[in-house]
Amino acid sequence: MAIGYKNLILIDNSRSVGEPNFLLCKETAKYICENAGTEDSCRIAVFGEDIEYLTDYTKDVSVLTSGIDEIEMRDRDTYVTDNLVNIITEWEEQDVACRNIILFTDGQEEESVLHANEELYYMLQEAGYPVYVVQSVESRNLPASRNLSAISRISGGKLLLTEFEGSEGGSEKILGDRILEAINGAREEAMLSESPVLQEPAAEEATETETDEVDGEEETSGDGYEEMYIASDHDDTVNAGNASMTEQAYITKDAYASVDNAPIIRNTDRKTGGVGLNVIFPAAGLLFALIFAVVVILVMRRNVRSDRRDKRVLAGISSDLEREARIAEDAEDYDCSTFKLSEEYGATRLLEQTDGGYDITLEDCADPTRLYRASCEDSLIVGRAHGLCDIVIDRDDSVSGRHCELSVRNGCWYVRDLQSSNGTKVNNQKVFQELLLKTGDILQLGQSVLQVSI
């Protein structure tokens, strides 16, 4: 019995695809729906930031083609990685199989804020859902092509381009046939891998009653059904006086018909080999010793990390106190007086311009004595990694190595998340793109909450 697949057809309808390629993708999707296997069903969806399902899984070609005809191009951002991760996660939670993804896109997407490409690659490798990609190449994008190539290759799918040699006419048929051939090839491989090879019984052995002599005993099989003989890969002869016994396996017709044409092989060899207690106990002892050693190592590493963190905290507090004292001393010596300009100027001017650029201060809301001050003319990196960041927050493991970027333009400060693990928020609003900062804003990096002063 052939395997029936459910094909999810995802169509990128953002304007970056281009009108000619968009029409070609729609026609190719129609061709796939019209020529899919009789046991297969399809579902149509478009995607941008989220997925919009236009039909359910169905074999009704008129419903599918009608849904494709209704698709129009939009001005929208596209997130390929996030949407594929969400689909695979949902399928894995439902524990479904025999699913394919047929993806039509140019591969151009906004910078992912939820999932990294490497996370998607790992999920594709583990899940076993092939992704067949048709990439629009009106304006070739090398990074996008690499990403789509990795998606199709790792998942066991296929990557095709809308522009290829000889693509002047009938391109939708050529693209559709290649995808359907790949799906049918995977179907045949799956069926072959699940079907055991049965050896036909010899003519002289196909008798209604079989007699096996084992140690002088007779065993007769005449219960009203025939048995097919399957020779084992090797024959072991057991001598008992002048009698010999050959390893054999049998499969009954009743068992064959009971599980949807999936044969059940019953081994009738009386010699049962097992693992003795002299093997089990040493193996179990070795396993417990290994687990105990791993637990001890993890506890020791945790204690070392805790000691290092405490030392960094004490060193950081001491450094903060020294810096506060130095700032207070500088403030006493610094002349902050101003004077009024004559009327001929008609304006005020800056008395002194420092070379440090624009200043920003981040005050830890949990500990107001902990301040992070910096000055720049372009941008700063904030994170946990020493040597990679301008402002280092190493007291909180939820802060990524390079968590966010603070940049200044025309005297205004902006914040941008750098694909951190726990995200960046401003006034409890998650940062998906660059946001303007002002004095009094609450900036949250992971679990660290900081008040901004500019």
Side-chain angles (χ1 to χ4, degrees):
M1 184 177 181
I3 299 175
Y5 282 107
K6 289 188 175 181
N7 303 311
L8 176 58
I9 300 177
L10 291 176
I11 300 178
D12 181 358
N13 63 335
S14 61
R15 293 198 177 277
S16 63
V17 174
E19 185 71 25
N21 284 318
F22 179 64
L23 295 177
L24 175 58
C25 291
K26 290 175 63 175
E27 293 301 318
T28 304
K30 289 183 186 178
Y31 183 85
I32 293 173
C33 295
E34 294 168 353
N35 295 274
T38 56
E39 57 281 326
D40 294 352
S41 60
C42 298
R43 187 179 192 182
I44 309 300
V46 295
F47 68 96
E49 295 183 1
D50 299 306
I51 301 174
E52 302 174 25
Y53 293 100
L54 305 181
T55 69
D56 292 327
Y57 286 105
T58 180
K59 299 178 182 179
D60 191 333
V61 176
S62 61
V63 173
L64 295 170
T65 55
S66 176
I68 295 173
D69 286 333
E70 294 176 359
I71 301 175
E72 297 179 351
M73 299 182 71
R74 301 185 198 172
D75 290 319
R76 63 192 308 180
D77 295 332
T78 304
Y79 293 86
V80 176
T81 299
D82 288 347
N83 285 317
L84 288 180
V85 169
N86 291 337
I87 292 172
I88 295 171
T89 301
E90 179 181 351
W91 287 356
E92 287 183 329
E93 291 175 352
Q94 296 174 355
D95 193 22
V96 295
C98 300
R99 300 289 182 102
N100 298 317
I101 299 175
I102 303 175
L103 175 64
F104 295 90
T105 181
D106 58 353
Q108 299 184 27
E109 60 175 331
E110 298 299 315
E111 186 176 2
S112 176
V113 297
L114 298 178
H115 306 282
N117 290 343
E118 290 75 14
E119 179 183 357
L120 173 60
Y121 301 156
Y122 176 79
M123 294 183 68
L124 289 172
Q125 186 175 16
E126 297 295 321
Y129 299 120
V131 182
Y132 302 94
V133 183
V134 176
Q135 182 186 4
S136 304
V137 290
E138 181 172 321
S139 56
R140 190 65 181 270
N141 186 317
L142 187 57
S145 298
R146 289 175 177 171
N147 183 40
L148 295 178
S149 175
I151 289 173
S152 59
R153 184 177 68 256
I154 293 173
S155 66
K158 193 176 186 67
L159 174 63
L160 303 173
L161 305 178
T162 55
E163 292 182 5
F164 51 90
E165 186 176 355
S167 62
E168 288 77 9
S171 298
E172 70 280 358
K173 182 179 184 301
I174 297 174
L175 292 171
D177 284 340
R178 290 182 180 177
I179 292 176
L180 292 174
E181 288 173 3
I183 293 176
N184 290 329
R187 191 199 318 268
E188 293 175 1
E189 290 181 5
M191 293 176 63
L192 289 175
S193 65
E194 295 180 0
S195 300
V197 179
L198 302 179
Q199 178 177 334
E200 293 297 333
E204 61 272 13
E205 294 176 348
T207 60
E208 182 178 356
T209 304
E210 248 177 282
T211 304
D212 291 339
E213 293 184 3
V214 182
D215 295 335
E217 297 181 1
E218 288 190 355
E219 183 175 322
T220 302
S221 58
D223 298 332
Y225 57 82
E226 297 180 1
E227 290 185 337
M228 292 189 294
Y229 170 76
I230 302 177
S232 62
D233 292 340
H234 62 281
D235 291 338
D236 292 336
T237 302
V238 181
N239 296 322
N242 295 327
S244 64
M245 180 177 66
T246 302
E247 270 195 335
Q248 296 177 348
Y250 294 88
I251 172 172
T252 68
K253 283 187 175 180
D254 289 7
Y256 186 86
S258 64
V259 189
D260 223 8
N261 294 333
I264 298 178
I265 297 178
R266 176 169 56 87
N267 193 346
T268 60
D269 183 15
R270 295 185 178 182
K271 183 178 65 175
T272 58
V275 180
L277 296 178
N278 59 338
V279 176
I280 294 176
F281 284 144
L286 181 61
L287 179 61
F288 285 130
L290 180 61
I291 295 175
F292 179 76
V294 171
V295 172
V296 170
I297 292 174
L298 291 177
V299 171
M300 293 177 63
R301 291 183 61 183
R302 182 176 181 181
N303 291 338
V304 170
R305 290 184 60 186
S306 178
D307 292 341
R308 291 177 179 174
R309 186 181 298 111
D310 292 341
K311 291 179 180 178
R312 289 199 303 266
V313 169
L314 294 175
I317 293 175
S318 177
S319 177
D320 287 342
L321 293 176
E322 293 178 0
R323 185 167 58 254
E324 291 296 326
R326 187 168 58 255
I327 292 172
E329 182 179 354
D330 293 340
E332 294 178 358
D333 298 336
Y334 187 79
D335 185 6
C336 297
S337 60
T338 60
F339 62 91
K340 184 177 181 181
L341 298 173
S342 60
E343 295 181 358
E344 63 183 7
Y345 286 94
T348 58
R349 62 183 175 85
L350 188 65
L351 296 181
E352 181 178 52
Q353 174 66 49
T354 61
D355 295 332
Y358 297 91
D359 297 331
I360 187 170
T361 301
L362 305 179
E363 179 182 326
D364 193 328
C365 294
D367 184 1
T369 63
R370 188 178 299 154
L371 300 174
Y372 304 93
R373 286 196 178 95
S375 180
C376 77
E377 296 179 349
D378 45 14
S379 64
L380 299 167
I381 301 298
V382 182
R384 200 175 74 251
H386 291 268
L388 298 179
C389 301
D390 301 292
I391 297 179
V392 179
I393 303 177
D394 58 0
R395 299 178 177 85
D396 185 356
D397 289 341
S398 67
V399 177
S400 298
R402 288 167 52 89
H403 198 103
C404 68
E405 179 186 34
L406 301 177
S407 58
V408 60
R409 295 192 304 273
N410 300 325
C412 297
W413 284 89
Y414 299 85
V415 61
R416 180 172 68 93
D417 187 73
L418 297 178
Q419 296 186 2
S420 61
S421 299
N422 297 301
T424 303
K425 293 182 180 180
V426 175
N427 297 330
N428 209 30
Q429 176 185 355
K430 192 165 185 179
V431 176
F432 291 100
Q433 57 187 359
E434 197 172 57
L435 287 182
L436 176 66
L437 289 176
K438 58 184 180 297
T439 298
D441 282 348
I442 301 299
L443 177 65
Q444 183 174 348
L445 313 181
Q447 298 297 324
S448 295
V449 181
L450 311 167
Q451 184 172 14
V452 178
S453 179
I454 299 173

